[in-house]
Amino acid sequence: MKAFILMCMLVQPWLGTGSVGNSDYNSQLIAGPSPGRDLSRFFSNYWKATRARRALPPADEPDDSPIPAAADESDLPTCLLCVCLTGSVYCEEVSPDMTSVPTLPKETAYLYARFNKIQKIRTKDFADVVTLRRIDLTGNLISEIEDGAFSKLSLLEELSLADNRLVKLPALPAKLKSFNANNNLLKTKGVKATAFKKLIGLVNLYLADNEMEAVPQIPEKVRILHLQNNNITDVNIDTFCRSNDTYYLRPSLSDVRLDGNPVILSKYPDSFTCMQVLPVGRYR
């Protein structure tokens, strides 16, 4: 209403009550646009503004448009979910839950994806990241690793799969120096006797807190071997030494743990003659 009254006040000077008044008024006008054209433009602009205001929703009216669903972690770029530094990717306790290995920058050398909910490692997860030297997947829900998942990682030196749900180990990269599979569900049938035989550079091997019944073949350079809290019931002279070589020595194997297993080590005195330090375990 106020706008309408204001409009009338603006229009009033152009309106007259008689021909004389109009003639006097018109005689005083200077050359320029006619009042009628200006008036028409005024009304046109006014109604356009009015329609535009009516098209806008009231400020206090609730917005009923649907709210987008929360983004799935697989739809987000890795370096938005994780911290990416030069050559390193840190994806620890990611939210929303990370259930698979993220797509990595091709120059990644170190991956830390601990304490997530990754369930499976697929062959394609690391197929294009051949520069990896260290992978840490501790504390996930991994129960399956596809054959060949690590086959292209010729530079990989450290791999941790601790605190997962593995019942079987895949083929491991030949250059591994440290492997950790503590606290899984591994049994001897899921770990081939020769699983580590070709890892000639392996130094640290952690297989504690599993369900293994026997000691696998241990590479020559291994210094630390942790097998505590398994179901190992016996060892023999070829477990650590060589029955066909009485002069064989194994000075590098200096930290062996077999405690928490049923085996009574004192029953196998000839099994440790090549070692400088006896294993930690049950002797009586």
Side-chain angles (χ1 to χ4, degrees), residues 11-175:
V11 172
Q12 188 174 3
W14 287 317
L15 300 180
T17 56
S19 60
V20 177
N22 286 343
S23 177
D24 292 342
Y25 178 74
N26 290 336
S27 65
Q28 297 176 16
L29 291 176
I30 60 174
S34 67
R37 190 176 298 121
D38 289 345
L39 182 60
S40 175
R41 188 181 298 113
F42 176 86
F43 275 108
S44 176
N45 292 340
Y46 173 79
W47 292 119
K48 285 181 180 178
T50 301
R51 284 195 296 270
R53 284 195 299 269
R54 287 177 179 174
L56 295 174
D60 57 351
E61 185 175 319
D63 185 2
D64 295 329
S65 58
I67 299 174
D72 184 81
E73 54 87 13
S74 61
D75 296 330
L76 297 175
T78 298
C79 292
L80 186 61
L81 286 168
C82 310
V83 176
C84 296
L85 303 176
T86 304
S88 300
V89 177
Y90 299 85
C91 304
E92 301 191 354
E93 297 182 282
V94 171
S95 180
D97 292 340
M98 178 176 285
T99 57
S100 60
V101 176
T103 302
L104 300 173
K106 289 190 176 182
E107 71 278 6
T108 303
Y110 305 97
L111 170 63
Y112 303 89
R114 300 181 294 187
F115 313 117
N116 290 293
K117 295 186 179 179
I118 298 171
Q119 301 173 12
K120 181 179 180 179
I121 300 178
R122 302 163 297 181
T123 303
K124 65 178 183 179
D125 288 337
F126 302 118
D128 297 326
V129 198
V130 296
T131 53
L132 279 165
R133 294 180 178 275
R134 180 186 300 160
I135 297 175
D136 191 344
L137 295 168
T138 299
N140 280 275
L141 304 175
I142 301 168
S143 59
E144 181 182 357
I145 301 177
E146 291 182 357
D147 291 336
F150 305 117
S151 61
K152 294 185 179 181
L153 304 183
S154 59
L155 300 178
L156 193 67
E157 296 180 342
E158 298 180 41
L159 175 61
S160 179
L161 300 170
D163 302 322
N164 279 283
R165 299 178 179 179
L166 291 171
V167 295
K168 178 183 177 183
L169 289 183
L172 299 171
K175 288 190 176 181

